Amino acid sequence: MQLPFSIETFIRFALYVVGFLAFAIFNAVILGWGERKIMARIQRRIGPKEVGPFGLLQIPADVIKLLAKQFRTPKGGDTMLFLAAPALAIIPALMSFVAIPFAPGLLARDINIGLLMVYAFTTVVILGLLVGGLGSRNKYAIISAARAVSQNVAYEIPMLISVVTVVLITRTMNLTTIVDQQAGAFWHWNMFRFSASPLLPVLFIVYIICMLAETNRTPFDIAEAESELIAGAFTEYSGMGSGLFFLAEYANIVVGCSLAVILFLGGWHDPFGFFPGVWWFAAKLYFLVFFVIWVRWTFPRTQFYSLLNLSWKTLIPLTLGNLLLTGFWIKVFGP
Amino acid sequence: MYTKHKEETFVLNLGPQHPATHGVLRIKLTMDGEYIVNAEPVLGYIHRMHEKMAENRTYAQYLPNLSRLDYLGAISFSLAHCLIVEKACGIEVPERATVIRVIMAELNRITSHLLWFGALIVDLGGFTPMLYIFDDREKIIDMMDSITGSRLTFCYLRFGGVSCDIDDTFIAGVRDIVPYMRTRLKMYHALVSRNAILQERLVGIGNITPEMCRSYGASGAVARASGVKHDVRQAEPYSGYERYDFDIPMSTDGDSMARFSVKMEEMEQSLRIIEQAVKNVPAGAYRNGKVPRTLTPAVGDFYQAVETPRGAFGIRMVSDGSNTPYRMKLRSPCLSNLSLLPEVVEGMLLADMLAFMGSLDLVIPEIDR
């Protein structure tokens, strides 16, 4: 009998699925712990320290607590949508991991259009918020869902334009190839590739801003503004329902930061061209994650209209102009 | 800014359990999308009949009630009660006691303003300053605790003085806290006041005109930020406030940022008062020893106002000559300040309304009484 794929391929794939699921969940646990520790340092506190060494088992303990809690569906809400929302939030977030190369060979699927695939999935994440808000039959949740959608529409555009600019430079959507092009010391990284466009550092900043908005983090966390909308779309979720949303949030941060590392910061290549490897990827990734946490506990929240103004009046013209400039620059100075 | 574009509105209940109402205040909002068409504060969720309680308690028994009105500025509230009873009964207060009262009231004002500052930033979505201010607040409260024995609902003042004398450790502590707080306030300004997002959230939001302040009876920082120069400590000085040299922070902008700056500046002024007060605390008794056990003031109608952290607090007391008042009317600042809310927030966005409410510095038990 001839199988369409060899048994090794199957085992390899199964291992990757298990591996990346484990990685995503382990990451969420570590980030949950890390966020609380970093936040505590910023706020001159100690943070979790009772459960396990350095409080490392705090998040598993929280997960056990969440699992023990009753998952309650609100009366009069749309139960189908309400139950589907956490899955809609978490599955695309985990699926995005499939195409991300962490090191040479350390990726599940080397897809030719990996970048497109990741963005296709991250766009779906917002559906979880929308559907959860609509299914909750809670006015705060519906306000939050409406906010989340208009925010994401506004920020996906400059984010994608900045990514398209990078694609214009790299001429490929294959994430591994994009990293390979940046081999060597840090002046080879896309962020400093002035031969392609003089404005790439600006583009990187725009990308980071859009990523903060995409992942609903402060200062753009207006969708789950806790002092305004209690918990926004998650208000009615109890137990692991809300736990999954948090898992999805952390997975999204990791995906967003990974893409920033791949597109702008040279992936697994180290700044001085000595020991490229997965550790450099991790170092860059967790530095960006730390930055995201740092921003969250430093800044207050923006108002909704200024957020949209920033996107439509500043970021979109800026990125569009940059796209034109890059095209022009490549045409004139390019190979 | 806001134009009503459709007839369809919905009612959003903000509270009584909502993180931004700082207590059990309920605001019934009629919303058009995220715009507020109408806001109606619903009071009474922690109404405890404090005014009625006064009528069947002796003056001394009623003293602890006052610190339960406004749990953040308890000293000022019990000061009003002490002053009015002393006025009605003609009790002399020793010089040392008046100075101790001023020091305590101003320390209490700083703790209250610090908490307001932290809570406002929490309303705006920044959590970290809240924990910074608790650090400072703790230092001040520890000092007050060492003398008064309580940390929040102080019942420290007595008719004709205070319950315990202050010691040298306390005075040294207060001397140290003044420069410390100045550096901390500088840090808060650098960390928070100049933040672009904060400016954007507060500047031009929630404009209150001086006319509105007068017609609603708003007082405290709310009125002063709108250009109404009124501070009971200077308008009708009590407890020796006329001896201290301090400014009344003023602004004519009337927006949330003006209230923010006025309140921040008030802390500096309180530090100035404390600095002058601890410089020479007069020796002598801390309490008038000749106060009778049962107080029976003369028949009459008395009024006493004090400047609490949130504004002018007044007590009107009608005495029929017995050992309990005939009527005790409490005029609390937050009720007047809250009554501005429906007029100001009309057409505002929900998030701006919460920022505006944060800048009003409401303490709900004092509104409901």
Side-chain angles (χ1 to χ4, degrees):
Chain A
M1 193 183 71
Q2 186 65 44
L3 282 169
F5 48 83
S6 69
I7 197 79
E8 289 89 51
T9 317
F10 181 77
I11 290 171
R12 183 169 171 273
F13 197 67
L15 278 176
Y16 270 119
V17 168
V18 173
F20 277 99
L21 271 180
F23 172 69
I25 289 164
F26 176 73
N27 229 326
V29 169
I30 289 294
L31 286 187
W33 173 82
E35 168 141 33
R36 289 174 65 170
K37 273 290 192 196
I38 294 167
M39 159 178 121
R41 289 299 299 178
I42 292 173
Q43 297 170 346
R44 300 174 67 190
R45 299 187 288 118
I46 299 168
K49 74 179 189 55
E50 292 294 330
V51 193
F54 311 108
L56 267 167
L57 297 178
Q58 183 63 52
I59 301 296
D62 286 352
V63 169
I64 291 167
K65 183 203 77 173
L66 286 175
L67 284 173
K69 286 201 166 180
Q70 186 189 6
F71 184 79
R72 195 183 147 276
T73 49
K75 277 203 188 94
D78 193 322
T79 316
M80 262 287 285
L81 292 185
F82 188 79
L83 292 176
L88 271 176
I90 188 80
I91 291 171
L94 294 180
M95 283 304 285
S96 310
F97 279 101
V98 169
I100 293 176
F102 294 96
L106 189 64
L107 81 166
R109 264 278 181 261
D110 193 6
I111 305 167
N112 234 351
I113 48 162
L115 192 58
L116 187 66
M117 193 204 111
V118 172
Y119 277 102
F121 277 119
T122 47
T123 313
V124 181
V125 173
I126 196 58
L127 214 58
L129 269 170
L130 173 66
V131 162
L134 287 181
S136 296
R137 196 173 178 265
N138 180 319
K139 285 167 188 167
Y140 289 106
I142 289 173
I143 292 176
S144 157
R147 279 180 175 192
V149 172
S150 48
Q151 177 186 345
N152 268 262
V153 169
Y155 276 89
E156 215 120 82
I157 298 168
M159 190 175 196
L160 289 180
I161 296 175
S162 63
V163 169
V164 164
T165 316
V166 173
V167 172
L168 200 65
I169 295 162
T170 59
R171 300 173 186 201
T172 174
M173 283 205 186
N174 186 321
L175 291 171
T176 317
T177 320
I178 290 177
V179 178
D180 282 339
Q181 285 178 1
Q182 306 175 52
F186 66 88
W187 53 85
H188 295 281
W189 296 355
N190 274 342
M191 190 178 156
F192 303 108
R193 210 155 137 189
F194 298 113
S195 62
S197 164
L199 282 177
L200 275 165
V202 179
L203 208 62
F204 176 69
I205 293 166
V206 171
Y207 179 89
I208 292 288
I209 292 173
C210 294
M211 188 196 71
L212 287 175
E214 271 280 301
T215 49
N216 285 322
R217 297 284 291 190
T218 313
F220 307 110
D221 65 336
I222 52 161
E224 47 167 310
E226 104 189 43
S227 58
E228 294 161 22
L229 303 177
I230 298 103
F234 319 137
T235 309
E236 293 290 332
Y237 283 92
S238 55
M240 212 47 208
S242 72
L244 281 180
F245 277 116
F246 285 111
L247 195 62
E249 185 185 326
Y250 285 120
N252 276 324
I253 293 168
V254 172
V255 170
C257 291
S258 300
L259 281 173
V261 170
I262 291 167
L263 294 177
F264 293 99
L265 299 178
W268 55 80
H269 296 297
D270 85 318
F272 306 105
F274 294 136
F275 306 104
V278 69
W279 42 85
W280 277 109
F281 192 97
K284 292 170 194 171
L285 170 67
Y286 288 113
F287 175 75
L288 285 182
V289 170
F290 167 75
F291 176 78
V292 169
I293 293 171
W294 183 17
V295 165
R296 169 161 186 183
W297 297 107
T298 308
F299 286 111
R301 188 184 308 120
T302 53
Q303 171 56 287
F304 191 60
Y305 48 76
S306 56
L307 180 122
L308 294 185
N309 277 348
L310 177 69
S311 169
W312 291 104
K313 292 187 183 161
T314 311
L315 296 183
I316 292 180
L318 185 74
T319 45
L320 271 176
N322 192 23
L323 183 64
L324 282 174
L325 179 75
T326 309
F328 179 75
W329 200 272
I330 288 174
K331 195 77 192 162
V332 175
F333 302 104
Chain B
M1 187 174 82
Y2 163 73
T3 43
K4 200 175 176 193
H5 43 80
K6 52 179 189 268
E7 288 302 305
E8 208 180 316
T9 58
F10 66 95
V11 173
L12 186 71
N13 264 312
L14 198 79
Q17 281 103 13
H18 187 280
T21 56
H22 306 298
V24 280
L25 173 67
R26 175 179 161 215
I27 298 176
K28 210 171 128 189
L29 296 168
T30 311
M31 308 273 293
D32 178 3
E34 279 216 42
Y35 287 99
I36 294 161
V37 178
N38 186 29
E40 185 193 339
V42 183
L43 307 178
Y45 283 91
I46 44 166
H47 181 55
R48 290 147 301 168
M49 304 193 296
H50 276 303
E51 290 179 10
K52 192 71 188 165
M53 270 191 227
E55 291 171 19
N56 48 31
R57 289 177 180 218
T58 66
Y59 293 97
Q61 279 173 338
Y62 188 59
L63 196 49
N65 281 45
L66 269 300
S67 52
R68 270 77 181 167
L69 284 185
D70 179 345
Y71 49 83
L72 296 179
I75 297 267
S76 299
F77 280 72
S78 37
L79 180 58
H81 185 56
C82 288
L83 287 173
I84 199 166
V85 172
E86 282 153 11
K87 194 194 267 180
C89 303
I91 299 168
E92 288 281 311
V93 184
E95 200 55 14
R96 187 177 173 82
T98 48
V99 175
I100 296 173
R101 283 175 174 187
V102 167
I103 295 174
M104 288 296 182
E106 293 306 318
L107 284 176
N108 203 201
R109 188 186 313 275
I110 292 172
T111 62
S112 166
H113 277 26
L114 280 174
L115 196 61
W116 155 83
F117 168 75
L120 172 65
I121 309 301
V122 168
D123 283 351
L124 297 177
F127 195 72
T128 303
M130 187 70 162
L131 289 138
Y132 280 50
I133 63 106
F134 261 97
D135 202 9
D136 303 343
R137 195 172 173 273
E138 203 69 8
K139 283 196 170 63
I140 299 174
I141 289 209
D142 278 342
M143 279 184 346
M144 291 174 79
D145 182 14
S146 70
I147 300 298
T148 64
S150 46
R151 298 173 63 82
L152 193 70
T153 52
F154 302 100
C155 184
Y156 174 58
L157 308 186
R158 296 287 183 274
F159 305 129
V162 292
S163 68
C164 332
D165 200 3
I166 56 173
D167 50 21
D168 291 341
T169 343
F170 176 79
I171 291 177
V174 173
R175 279 208 183 109
D176 290 345
I177 209 88
V178 172
Y180 169 77
M181 272 311 297
R182 286 206 172 116
T183 59
R184 294 291 283 191
L185 285 174
K186 213 170 273 171
M187 187 192 81
Y188 293 142
H189 278 301
L191 193 69
V192 177
S193 312
R194 291 185 209 134
N195 186 303
I197 296 174
L198 185 99
Q199 296 270 347
E200 168 207 301
R201 291 296 307 272
L202 294 182
V203 174
I205 303 292
N207 283 308
I208 300 175
T209 59
E211 289 72 44
M212 278 166 78
C213 285
R214 292 203 180 93
S215 60
Y216 283 101
S219 55
V222 177
R224 287 193 285 273
S226 305
V228 181
K229 192 167 186 174
H230 176 75
D231 189 318
V232 185
R233 288 176 295 177
Q234 286 194 351
E236 315 157 36
Y238 54 89
S239 199
Y241 267 111
E242 66 276 6
R243 289 196 297 262
Y244 302 105
D245 175 32
F246 65 100
D247 303 326
I248 306 176
M250 283 279 296
S251 172
T252 46
D253 298 344
D255 58 356
S256 300
M257 194 66 209
R259 285 185 283 282
F260 180 84
S261 338
V262 165
K263 283 235 170 200
M264 295 301 276
E265 183 57 31
E266 272 181 29
M267 283 195 256
E268 311 260 4
Q269 298 302 328
S270 290
L271 288 175
R272 267 179 78 188
I273 297 174
I274 292 168
E275 206 172 29
Q276 293 166 45
V278 290
K279 217 168 252 170
N280 40 8
V281 182
Y286 63 94
R287 194 173 171 182
N288 185 343
K290 288 179 205 131
V291 180
R293 208 161 266 273
T294 317
L295 289 169
T296 46
V299 180
D301 197 338
F302 304 93
Y303 183 77
Q304 175 68 48
V306 296
E307 184 72 20
T308 71
R310 262 151 285 281
F313 172 65
I315 299 183
R316 183 178 173 195
M317 188 182 91
V318 181
S319 163
D320 56 0
S322 68
N323 61 354
T324 58
Y326 173 73
R327 174 83 170 94
M328 185 88 101
K329 165 74 182 126
L330 309 173
R331 185 257 177 231
S332 67
C334 283
L335 180 67
S336 312
N337 292 355
L338 175 71
S339 59
L340 279 163
L341 185 111
E343 196 175 324
V344 177
V345 301
E346 204 181 307
M348 222 185 229
L349 281 164
L350 178 65
D352 281 341
M353 183 212 131
L354 293 167
F356 167 69
M357 240 171 76
S359 76
L360 283 183
D361 189 10
L362 300 175
V363 167
I364 313 304
E366 183 237 89
I367 296 172
D368 278 352
R369 300 199 288 282

